[in-house]
Amino acid sequence: MLENYLPVLIFMGVGLLVGIGMTAAGLILSPHRPDREKNSPYECGFEAFEDSRMKFDVRYYLVAILFIIFDLEIAFLFPWAVVLDSIGTFGLVAMAIFLGLLVVGFIYEWKKGALEWE
Amino acid sequence: MLDLILSIYKIPVINILVKIIVIMVPLLLTVAYFTYAERKVIGYMQVRIGPNRVGPRGWLQPIADAMKLMFKEIIFPSDANKVLFTIAPTLAIATALAAWAVVPFGSELVLADINVALLYILAMTSIGVYGIILAGWSSNSKYAIMSTLRTAAQVVSYEIAMGFALVGVVMAARSLNIGDIVEGQSSSIWGWYMWPLLPLFVIYFISGVAETNRAPFDVAEGESEIVAGFHVEYSGILFAIFFLAEYANMILISIMAALMFMGGWLSPFEGVSALGLGDSFLAGSSIIWLLAKTAIFMFLFLWFRATFPRYRYDQIMRLGWKVFIPITIVWIYVVGLMYYLELAPWFIKG
């Protein structure tokens, strides 16, 4: 079974090579004439003011945290769905209850306004 | 001479490399001509004729574009983190291509027949977002950073909806192997998973459009707000690589939708004796059917872009979290019920 994964590994290598090869070709073939104005960060013609790595809205962070919870749930659902035939009605009901707990949490965060974007 | 070539071909690594090239070259050509098709299709939808100068009817346009981008200067902004700035496009294209290792093109036509193929594809498309995040952060430009934050949050949100939609497919097929998923849909057109999983099918494709940052979910590069988004500082071939990765991902979403919901290489006329097709080409499974179904979804991407105005960012997040996720969770319960009731022809316990 493990030898089936060799093509996957080689494919990843070839994918990386395509990226590296194109980058290298571009670097070699293209002209290189930098000057101060050309290399300044683009900001609609203004001189860049402040550092661009600024503070950002906490809601992006909140989305990332909520994502981890739900993605973990999906990671549990995949193996469960594969063995559905051998775990019978008990397994089906157990996951229904487990998913129900997640739904309670989901309703809570919805009511708390964690999903609001104005 | 022929014996020599055959004996070289029998070396496993060479054999695999030849197969990889057989997948990769048509894929990259498809990407190139997909960009041409996009400009032509959107052109005609807007009552223009699109590119028509390079070669007959503009057929050589994508090649001219590639050559031009290859010879354009690559600008490294003075504030940028140069190493990450150079790595980011490679990361994007490597993951976009690597996902194709497990995509089957027929019941025997598959490079890596692994039993966790679906999980692998999900993992690869998830890693792809790092290319965008690295590009935006390393550019050290305000537009790029804003676009990165938006993209990361958007892709992550729609990945949940997409994951739940795929759980429905796995529950129906009880396998993560894509070949098994397709075989589970055989018998007739009514055996395709798009019928019992219709809401999941629609959500999967719309989430796919959002995942690849295409219109109407393209706030990552909304020209009117943040110029070009995360690749605003990129030029030359580095920009072209991002472009390639985005289109390879669009084709991947299309072929996955065809494989998981529309029976892949199975014929829509399978099991219909009334038409009198018998064992003819139209009734049999073939790669032609898979490519035709994939083309439908690829065309939808272009059609969406020509038709729909861009969503506002808060609308995108509302659609993902407050519409798609509740629907998918409810439908997983429905699929569970259908499985319990052994609804034929899709849910036969075995």
Side-chain angles (χ1 to χ4, degrees):
Chain A
M1 198 62 218
L2 206 60
E3 75 267 9
N4 285 339
Y5 288 86
L6 182 66
V8 176
L9 197 66
I10 297 175
F11 208 114
M12 283 179 186
V14 174
L16 272 177
L17 275 181
V18 169
I20 294 168
M22 285 176 72
T23 308
L27 285 172
I28 293 164
L29 292 173
S30 66
H32 190 62
R33 285 186 286 273
D35 69 56
R36 206 181 69 81
E37 289 305 321
K38 194 197 273 178
N39 286 2
S40 64
Y42 175 72
E43 208 163 307
C44 293
F46 289 107
E47 289 287 333
F49 50 92
E50 300 176 354
D51 187 21
S52 52
R53 287 169 190 163
M54 54 208 167
K55 290 178 197 162
F56 59 86
D57 199 323
V58 72
R59 279 176 298 194
Y60 290 112
Y61 185 66
L62 204 60
V63 166
I65 291 177
L66 292 177
F67 163 73
I68 293 173
I69 301 167
F70 280 91
D71 215 36
L72 212 60
E73 177 76 19
I74 293 166
F76 284 132
L77 280 167
F78 270 118
W80 166 78
V82 172
V83 296
L84 215 50
D85 282 335
S86 47
I87 53 176
T89 313
F90 173 76
L92 212 58
V93 173
M95 187 49 94
I97 294 167
F98 185 52
L99 203 58
L101 291 175
L102 185 89
V103 170
V104 172
F106 185 64
I107 293 167
Y108 175 75
E109 78 195 27
W110 189 325
K111 291 286 172 218
K112 275 281 176 186
L115 308 176
E116 300 299 328
W117 288 76
E118 275 138 4
Chain B
M1 188 63 199
L2 196 67
D3 288 344
L4 184 70
I5 294 170
L6 279 175
S7 62
I8 291 173
Y9 184 71
K10 289 215 177 80
I11 302 168
V13 175
I14 302 287
N15 186 336
I16 291 166
L17 275 175
V18 170
K19 285 178 185 165
I20 289 175
I21 290 166
V22 169
I23 294 174
M24 195 96 86
V25 171
L27 173 65
L28 290 176
L29 277 175
T30 312
V31 168
Y33 278 88
F34 193 25
T35 65
Y36 171 74
E38 172 168 39
R39 294 166 72 178
K40 271 289 185 197
V41 167
I42 293 179
Y44 280 113
M45 284 185 181
Q46 294 168 345
V47 206
R48 298 182 284 115
I49 46 175
N52 68 339
R53 280 288 171 270
V54 191
R57 293 165 175 271
W59 283 336
L60 298 177
Q61 185 69 44
I63 292 158
D65 286 340
M67 293 302 283
K68 189 191 85 170
L69 285 165
M70 188 76 93
F71 289 100
K72 284 284 178 188
E73 179 171 0
I74 300 171
I75 298 167
F76 292 97
S78 46
D79 292 345
N81 184 329
K82 299 215 172 34
V83 178
L84 293 181
F85 190 80
T86 322
I87 290 174
T90 304
L91 192 62
I93 189 83
T95 52
L97 292 177
W100 285 85
V102 297
V103 173
F105 298 94
S107 49
E108 300 298 323
L109 278 172
V110 52
L111 176 67
D113 192 17
I114 59 175
N115 51 11
V116 291
L118 204 55
L119 208 57
Y120 170 78
I121 286 185
L122 214 56
M124 278 298 140
T125 47
S126 304
I127 297 172
V129 74
Y130 282 106
I132 292 173
I133 293 176
L134 271 185
W137 190 81
S138 66
S139 298
N140 209 349
S141 158
K142 290 203 183 67
Y143 292 116
I145 297 260
M146 279 180 208
S147 161
T148 297
L149 287 171
R150 288 180 174 196
T151 314
Q154 175 188 332
V155 169
V156 141
S157 304
Y158 279 88
E159 208 169 280
I160 299 170
M162 194 183 229
F164 275 130
L166 294 184
V167 167
V169 176
V170 179
M171 282 174 77
R174 267 94 69 200
S175 172
L176 287 167
N177 181 300
I178 300 167
D180 290 348
I181 293 174
V182 173
E183 295 307 328
Q185 304 176 58
S186 55
S187 72
S188 73
I189 189 169
W190 300 110
W192 294 0
Y193 289 152
M194 62 181 284
W195 306 116
L197 308 176
L198 193 61
L200 299 183
F201 170 49
V202 173
I203 286 173
Y204 172 80
F205 189 66
I206 297 175
S207 300
V209 176
E211 285 267 295
T212 46
N213 298 313
R214 294 291 300 181
F217 301 99
D218 58 344
V219 289
E221 40 196 290
E223 298 89 340
S224 52
E225 299 157 26
I226 48 174
V227 200
F230 64 90
H231 53 53
V232 67
E233 300 288 358
Y234 279 88
S235 59
I237 199 76
L238 294 185
F239 165 74
I241 297 174
F242 274 120
F243 208 67
L244 268 175
E246 182 180 323
Y247 281 76
N249 276 329
M250 283 158 69
I251 302 172
L252 183 72
I253 296 285
S254 304
I255 201 167
M256 289 308 290
L259 284 166
M260 292 186 302
F261 294 99
M262 286 180 70
W265 50 81
L266 302 174
S267 161
F269 304 115
E270 195 185 4
V272 183
S273 47
L275 287 171
L277 292 166
D279 288 333
S280 72
F281 162 74
L282 280 175
S285 321
S286 81
I287 189 171
I288 310 275
W289 286 118
L290 176 62
L291 297 180
K293 289 165 187 171
T294 308
I296 293 171
F297 291 109
M298 284 163 65
F299 181 75
L300 277 181
F301 270 102
L302 310 183
W303 196 359
F304 285 176
R305 185 172 163 191
T307 313
F308 295 129
R310 183 177 297 130
Y311 267 112
R312 230 169 42 222
Y313 193 68
D314 61 312
Q315 292 172 325
I316 291 182
M317 295 309 266
R318 192 177 63 211
L319 183 71
W321 285 94
K322 293 188 174 177
V323 180
F324 282 0
I325 292 176
I327 292 176
T328 47
I329 291 177
V330 167
W331 209 259
I332 284 177
Y333 277 105
V334 174
V335 173
L337 195 67
M338 287 194 278
Y339 173 78
Y340 182 71
L341 299 173
E342 299 195 48
L343 203 66
W346 313 288
F347 299 93
I348 298 151
K349 291 180 190 171

